[in-house]
Amino acid sequence: MLFQGEFNNAIDAKGRASIPAKFRDVLSSVFGDERLMVTQNDGGLAAYPIQEWEKVLEKVKSMQASPLKDAINLALISPAVECSFDKQGRIQLSKAQRCYAGLESEIREIVVVGSINKIMIWNRAMHAEMRKHAEDLLKTEPQALYNLGF
Amino acid sequence: MLFQGEFNNAIDAKGRASIPAKFRDVLSSVFGDERLMVTQNDGGLAAYPIQEWEKVLEKVKSMQASPLKDAINLALISPAVECSFDKQGRIQLSKAQRCYAGLESEIREIVVVGSINKIMIWNRAMHAEMRKHAEDLLKTEPQALYNLGF
DNA sequence: ACACGTTTTTACACTTTGTGGGCAACTATA
DNA sequence: TATAGTTGCCCACAAAGTGTAAAAACGTGT
């Protein structure tokens, strides 16, 4: 369990998103490298430790050519940008990234979510909606949840 | 029957929730480990002994991909954070957790409820309403209750 | 009902983290 | 070459989290 938990942080007018200190600690202690590869996925931004990103890249490279591989390259690999932290623990998101993730100028509220080997960044309102949908789905499956031990 | 009973405890201004000593005793005597994984569920917070959480995780991991699995990851797994006790028997809840559970700054009153293999934490007012709804439902099923021996 | 030990709450001081703003260097454009 | 926009760096303040101590509340057994 590397990255875990949800954090209600902010993005400032310049597009700098602050990342929880916990996550930075994981980066430097586990990976020894505070850089992140930030790409766009599923309406939000996904930030991978460089090491993890390399692993993903290898796997994609070894796929044989197919429309799926092309789509992965186009939608996930190409948009990825390397980011590092400023002294206040923030990463600078590009305009394209903010645009994709619905983080336009006035919006300050984001959620930073640990997701095992990567860090997700969402517009907070969007994330709340996704969570609501997820919870509605869970409510229709009480038995399944019980069986899983929840 | 591991965790059992309701306790009207408090959460302080910094978001530290005190957990009944009884539950801590169960943690150290049964599990030999006082850490908890605290996640968000159903409007409150659910705290699992690490051992129990691992079991749940294994089961979820072994599910095949599906919308239900995605919902579980989004709503239950990702928000989970490991907590341990301070010297006064309290756990620090994150801002996001308090926000989710309706435990904003001024609210001090919580209920800590034992629920077999996990500990639930609720805003006390919210819990009172849920209980009321539950009781209303029970009134519509007197025969079922009688058959159960109540 | 009382005294004792345990548990819970309150209070305060201190550290860390997060946020906003200013300034200068750099880029791209016209 | 001027201009506007972007990026990085720095500082300072505010908010949040951590730790400790002591008071208050609670429960137990006598």
Side-chain angles (χ1 to χ4, degrees), chain A residues 1-141:
Chain A
M1 281 305 145
L2 296 168
F3 303 111
Q4 206 55 41
E6 289 182 6
F7 299 85
N8 290 335
N9 283 7
I11 182 171
D12 70 14
K14 295 178 183 177
R16 296 175 294 185
S18 67
I19 304 296
K22 266 195 186 179
F23 290 174
R24 266 177 286 147
D25 291 346
V26 171
L27 283 171
S28 57
S29 65
V30 178
F31 296 97
D33 181 343
E34 294 216 336
R35 291 171 303 162
L36 290 170
M37 281 299 275
V38 181
T39 187
Q40 307 167 191
N41 191 13
D42 205 16
L45 302 173
Y48 295 79
I50 301 284
Q51 258 184 56
E52 290 293 309
W53 181 254
E54 300 292 347
K55 280 192 216 165
V56 173
L57 263 191
E58 280 312 308
K59 287 189 198 159
V60 173
K61 269 190 197 166
S62 69
M63 288 174 76
Q64 58 172 314
S66 73
L68 177 61
K69 182 174 182 177
D70 293 343
I72 290 172
N73 275 314
L74 177 69
L76 300 173
I77 308 288
S78 296
V81 180
E82 186 180 309
C83 290
S84 38
F85 288 88
D86 67 17
K87 288 197 176 164
Q88 280 74 251
R90 298 174 289 198
I91 56 176
Q92 176 74 50
L93 301 178
S94 73
K95 235 182 170 179
Q97 289 171 328
R98 280 175 273 158
C99 175
Y100 175 84
L103 298 171
E104 307 299 1
S105 37
E106 337 73 34
I107 292 175
R108 296 290 149 79
E109 303 195 320
I110 61 173
V111 187
V112 184
V113 184
S115 192
I116 303 160
N117 66 332
K118 64 178 181 288
I119 299 167
M120 298 291 307
I121 301 172
W122 304 92
N123 171 312
R124 202 181 301 166
M126 258 182 218
H127 182 262
E129 267 202 31
M130 295 173 52
R131 152 175 281 278
K132 193 174 165 306
H133 285 130
E135 287 191 347
D136 288 347
L137 179 57
L138 295 186
K139 281 193 192 121
T140 67
E141 299 281 356

Side-chain angles (χ1 to χ4, degrees), chain B residues 32-97:
Chain B
D33 183 343
E34 295 216 336
R35 290 171 304 161
L36 290 170
M37 280 300 274
V38 181
T39 189
Q40 309 169 189
N41 191 12
D42 206 14
L45 302 173
Y48 296 79
I50 299 284
Q51 254 184 58
E52 291 293 307
W53 182 255
E54 298 294 345
K55 280 192 218 163
V56 173
L57 260 192
E58 280 313 307
K59 288 188 198 161
V60 173
K61 268 191 199 165
S62 68
M63 288 174 77
Q64 58 172 320
S66 74
L68 178 62
K69 182 176 182 177
D70 292 343
I72 289 172
N73 275 314
L74 176 69
L76 301 173
I77 307 288
S78 290
V81 181
E82 186 180 307
C83 291
S84 37
F85 288 89
D86 65 16
K87 287 187 182 169
Q88 279 82 273
R90 300 174 293 190
I91 56 176
Q92 173 75 49
L93 302 178
S94 76
K95 226 182 170 187
Q97 289 172 328

